[in-house]
Amino acid sequence: DGGITQSPKYLFRKEGQNVTLSCEQNLNHDAMYWYRQDPGQGLRLIYYSQIVNDFQKGDIAEGYSVSREKKESFPLTVTSAQKNPTAFYLCASSKRQGGSYEQYFGPGTRLTVT
Amino acid sequence: SQQGEEDPQALSIQEGENATMNCSYKTSINNLQWYRQNSGRGLVHLILIRSNEREKHSGRLRVTLDTSKKSSSLLITASRAADTASYFCATDDGLTNFGNEKLTFGTGTRLTIIP
């Protein structure tokens, strides 16, 4: 079964705690992305990575950190510096080249911080 | 920043009718994509149209692109209850050239198909 997995589906944390969201893909895609979605809104790009050991900030990177040590994995850490962390987080991946630009999305993690 | 803006924000139609959603964007693009999102789920890619294309079909979907007006439309024909979802347009920023363009998503159209 090829695809992107995100875990857990629901996550609850107390304010002030860091939390790491998992994203794994077995599509052999080079590029991976993290988005945040707030209720009734579109997706906003947090971080993206086009190759192992390299990543770039997106539009709303403050309070988040990522790593890309393996091609298959792109974990996102929501730090205590993120002022409004409660949101739906989506991970995606895409091929690096070949004219195929579509992104494949995981099922998402809904994070609630109280 | 929101590159794409969908219109309308919400649309309710009877099953069997056609649904049309529009997307407007601000800057030049390499391509425009449409995605569907069922409630509480990830997005699913529907169709991609390149800047040198004017119309594209995929099953019951028809997408048009007018680069002079910086707009696109998504038409779903003969709608079904299973088409109930949010639909997003996404544009690349045209700044990278090696196949990993960043996408900017609009705020979406919430489509409800009434059985």
Side-chain angles (χ1 to χ4, degrees):
Chain A
D1 236 2
I4 301 181
T5 57
Q6 291 185 245
S7 61
K9 189 172 175 64
Y10 299 96
L11 192 53
F12 298 89
R13 279 294 182 271
K14 294 290 186 186
E15 203 171 303
Q17 293 179 335
N18 291 354
V19 60
T20 297
L21 282 60
S22 166
C23 177
E24 304 277 332
Q25 55 99 359
N26 61 5
L27 299 168
N28 200 32
H29 285 170
D30 285 295
M32 296 186 75
Y33 311 81
W34 274 106
Y35 294 93
R36 170 187 173 132
Q37 186 178 32
D38 292 286
Q41 300 296 311
L43 278 64
R44 291 185 290 169
L45 182 64
I46 304 172
Y47 268 99
Y48 65 105
S49 168
Q50 294 169 336
I51 198 168
V52 173
N53 292 324
D54 184 62
F55 48 83
Q56 308 293 330
K57 291 182 179 180
D59 299 320
I60 56 165
E62 186 175 348
Y64 300 96
S65 65
V66 293
S67 63
R68 186 85 187 277
E69 296 175 3
K70 297 187 299 181
K71 187 175 184 177
E72 303 79 19
S73 179
F74 191 42
L76 173 75
T77 297
V78 184
T79 75
S80 56
Q82 168 50 232
K83 295 192 181 350
N84 297 297
T86 294
F88 189 48
Y89 291 88
L90 287 159
C91 179
S93 71
S94 67
K95 291 182 183 178
R96 181 179 173 88
Q97 71 276 353
S100 175
Y101 307 109
E102 62 183 279
Q103 292 188 9
Y104 295 75
F105 282 81
T109 292
R110 190 168 298 279
L111 173 65
T112 302
V113 177
T114 58
Chain B
S1 60
Q2 293 290 349
Q3 164 78 309
E5 296 290 337
E6 287 89 345
D7 168 55
Q9 289 188 329
L11 178 63
S12 291
I13 60 173
Q14 295 289 334
E15 193 168 18
E17 293 180 340
N18 295 342
T20 299
M21 287 157 273
N22 302 297
C23 170
S24 59
Y25 56 92
K26 298 187 178 106
T27 64
S28 63
I29 60 172
N30 286 332
N31 66 70
L32 184 145
Q33 303 180 38
W34 284 91
Y35 288 80
R36 184 188 74 212
Q37 183 182 35
N38 289 86
S39 183
R41 303 285 185 90
L43 277 70
V44 174
H45 181 264
L46 295 176
I47 198 165
L48 179 153
I49 186 165
R50 301 196 188 282
S51 59
N52 61 354
E53 297 176 310
R54 291 296 167 258
E55 187 171 311
K56 204 160 182 180
H57 296 255
S58 176
R60 294 184 296 113
L61 305 180
R62 172 178 168 252
V63 169
T64 61
L65 179 65
D66 187 334
T67 53
S68 66
K69 294 181 179 176
K70 293 187 169 57
S71 68
S72 173
S73 68
L74 170 67
L75 168 68
I76 303 174
T77 61
S79 63
R80 305 167 181 168
D83 295 328
T84 293
S86 292
Y87 292 82
F88 295 90
C89 68
T91 52
D92 73 326
D93 60 12
L95 296 178
T96 55
N97 296 309
F98 36 80
N100 291 322
E101 288 81 356
K102 288 164 43 184
L103 290 181
T104 302
F105 287 80
T107 53
T109 292
R110 173 71 188 165
L111 175 65
T112 302
I113 308 300
I114 303 165

